[in-house]
Amino acid sequence: MTIVVTGATGHLGRLTVDSLLARGVAASDIRAAGRSAERLAPLAALGVETVVIDFEKPETLTAAFAGADAVLLVSGSEVGKRVQQHRNAIEAAEAAGVGRLVYTSAPHATDGALVLAPEHKATEEILAASSVPVTVLRNNWYTENYTDLIDQAAVTGEIVGSAGHGRVASASRKDYAEAAAVVLMTPGHEGAVYELSGDTAWTFDQLATTVGELAGRDVHYRSVTPEEHTRILTEAGLDEGTAGFVVALDGNIRDGELADARSTLAELIGRPTTPLAQGLAESREEAAA
């Protein structure tokens, strides 16, 4: 069995390769694909086959996918370019005769209002029209998105946002990576769309308490209006576009777009998802290493 993991030099892709190895998949059965040969080198040292790909060059994708039983298409990071890049990958998978394509999407991509959803919705529509059997993993938020708040809160004693009383059902990247590994290496997932999340959804007050414990001081959540939030972010040096994006995400959280806590992820990986405090602590340790 040949399993291809795209984005293997990124966080999620690399963790998926690690999880495949930990679950007993032979290194020679894994093909790690990424943009940088240098960053792929550590995987090659483990015996994993590596290949350089470029989502703007479909011929590199077709070659990388040749003979693959399953391919993990980790969604691209270039907002605005992702639909065409994903289309290139899907068409390459068809041309290469891939057995199954697994795609990392966004929560409720086809019927939600998440600001990140449109490109994922478009990709899922392309997948649905393709001839390749597909499994969609709709990953909720990553706990690691909030790691930087620990050091900031250690100085300021507060977390500022406009998410109100909204909840986030986050899980650690390693949780989502394990789920991807399970789906890639086991049968029976063809046609499935999995909404994946942490076991529980937390509020920003709970996040502040957890961050405070890790920062070693009292931390509180200061809830502000979207307008005030935008002003605070731009005064801190963010450009208007980035500030608007952050505020829009907080608005999504306020409206409950990331609050859907389900047991699906835990069931796939065979254990509870990583608790918020543990996920933040482990992420902080990894960042410091």
Side-chain angles (χ1 to χ4, degrees), residues 105-194:
S105 190
H108 301 284
T110 56
D111 58 6
L114 188 67
V115 66
L116 291 170
E119 287 182 304
H120 292 289
K121 178 181 180 181
T123 299
E124 289 195 28
E125 290 171 349
I126 298 169
L127 286 166
S130 76
S131 61
V132 181
V134 173
T135 306
V136 177
L137 307 178
R138 291 180 176 170
N139 294 348
N140 202 301
W141 228 227
Y142 300 138
T143 295
E144 290 85 349
N145 291 343
Y146 298 98
T147 304
D148 289 344
L149 291 179
I150 301 171
D151 291 335
Q152 295 173 17
V155 176
T156 65
E158 65 178 11
I159 294 172
V160 180
S162 52
H165 297 293
R167 291 178 175 268
V168 179
S170 73
S172 292
R173 281 195 186 96
K174 69 178 182 180
D175 298 339
Y176 294 113
E178 282 190 39
V182 168
V183 169
L184 287 165
M185 63 187 289
T186 58
H189 303 286
E190 294 82 356
V193 177
Y194 294 123

Side-chain angles (χ1 to χ4, degrees), residues 4-273:
V4 178
V5 177
T6 70
T9 57
H11 294 295
L12 185 64
R14 174 57 196 263
L15 287 170
T16 301
V17 173
D18 290 343
S19 185
L20 287 168
L21 292 170
R23 287 178 175 269
V25 177
S28 58
D29 290 338
I30 303 171
R31 187 178 301 155
R35 295 183 179 182
S36 167
E38 181 180 359
R39 294 183 63 186
L40 286 168
L43 289 171
L46 297 175
V48 173
E49 181 184 357
T50 61
V51 59
V52 176
I53 60 171
D54 185 337
F55 283 99
E56 304 289 346
K57 298 178 180 178
E59 66 275 9
T60 67
L61 299 169
T62 305
F65 297 165
D69 296 285
V71 172
L72 176 64
L73 175 56
V74 176
S75 56
S77 59
E78 297 178 273
V79 176
K81 297 183 178 180
R82 292 191 287 188
V83 175
Q84 185 57 53
Q85 290 175 346
H86 296 164
R87 184 188 301 276
N88 291 342
I90 294 164
E91 292 177 350
E94 285 186 297
V98 165
R100 182 159 49 93
L101 194 57
V102 179
Y103 174 64
T104 62
S105 190
H108 301 284
T110 56
D111 58 6
L114 188 67
V115 66
L116 291 170
E119 287 182 304
H120 292 289
K121 178 181 180 181
T123 299
E124 289 195 28
E125 290 171 349
I126 298 169
L127 286 166
S130 76
S131 61
V132 181
V134 173
T135 306
V136 177
L137 307 178
R138 291 180 176 170
N139 294 348
N140 202 301
W141 228 227
Y142 300 138
T143 295
E144 290 85 349
N145 291 343
Y146 298 98
T147 304
D148 289 344
L149 291 179
I150 301 171
D151 291 335
Q152 295 173 17
V155 176
T156 65
E158 65 178 11
I159 294 172
V160 180
S162 52
H165 297 293
R167 291 178 175 268
V168 179
S170 73
S172 292
R173 281 195 186 96
K174 69 178 182 180
D175 298 339
Y176 294 113
E178 282 190 39
V182 168
V183 169
L184 287 165
M185 63 187 289
T186 58
H189 303 286
E190 294 82 356
V193 177
Y194 294 123
E195 294 285 351
L196 303 180
S197 70
D199 293 336
T200 60
W202 45 262
T203 67
F204 275 73
D205 286 325
Q206 292 171 317
L207 175 65
T209 298
T210 302
V211 167
E213 292 170 352
L214 295 171
R217 65 166 296 175
D218 289 335
V219 174
H220 72 277
Y221 174 55
R222 178 157 65 97
S223 182
V224 298
T225 66
E227 294 75 20
E228 186 178 1
H229 195 191
T230 301
R231 178 184 58 77
I232 291 169
L233 292 172
T234 54
E235 289 180 352
L238 268 65
D239 62 83
E240 290 185 5
T242 303
F245 182 73
V246 172
V247 173
L249 281 173
D250 267 21
N252 287 151
I253 293 171
R254 188 175 61 249
D255 294 340
E257 295 292 332
L258 297 179
D260 187 13
R262 301 190 181 194
S263 62
T264 309
L265 177 54
E267 290 167 359
L268 280 174
I269 63 180
R271 61 168 176 81
T273 59

